[in-house]
Amino acid sequence: MNWAILDENKRVTSIVTSEIRPEGSVKVTEGSGASVGYYWNGWTFDAPRWSSYDFLNRFTSAERTAIRATAKTDDSVADFLMLASSAHEIIADDPVTLAGMNYLVSEAIITSSRKAEILS
């Protein structure tokens, strides 16, 4: 069986396989969407969410500078920056969020490991 280990905020810190239920865990069923960084709401696992300000602050100052500089000549980066800046809420697994983050990786503005860190 798979188990999601939760912290005090009900955030998934790891997923383990064990026949015995680990302390502080909930069972992970097929298709439940459990992933490290997601939150257990008592029924399902929810993707992390941030305000626009909090999301953009997950980037380093250097990364934000690179995004702004690239946005001056790259319409796709400018569009993602505009959407991220004006959204009330950024959801980690939203298709627009993922597309924008994947584009930042493809343009070498951030690495794929930084993308995973920012979205977790």
Side-chain angles (χ1 to χ4, degrees), residues 52-69:
S52 175
Y53 176 80
D54 288 336
F55 175 71
L56 292 171
N57 269 319
R58 295 181 70 77
F59 292 88
T60 66
S61 177
E63 289 166 343
R64 288 191 308 271
T65 298
I67 291 168
R68 285 191 310 274

Side-chain angles (χ1 to χ4, degrees), residues 15-87:
I15 298 177
V16 299
T17 302
S18 173
E19 291 304 315
I20 301 169
R21 180 181 180 206
E23 186 176 331
S25 69
V26 294
K27 188 175 180 181
V28 175
T29 58
E30 185 83 22
S32 67
S35 187
V36 172
Y38 278 47
Y39 291 89
W40 174 246
N41 68 18
W43 298 100
T44 60
F45 294 91
D46 295 330
R49 298 165 181 258
W50 307 274
S51 68
S52 175
Y53 176 80
D54 288 336
F55 175 71
L56 292 171
N57 269 319
R58 295 181 70 77
F59 292 88
T60 66
S61 177
E63 289 166 343
R64 288 191 308 271
T65 298
I67 291 168
R68 285 191 310 274
T70 306
K72 293 176 183 176
T73 58
D74 187 318
D75 288 339
S76 294
V77 174
D79 190 48
F80 179 61
L81 180 58
M82 181 200 62
L83 291 171
S85 297
S86 62

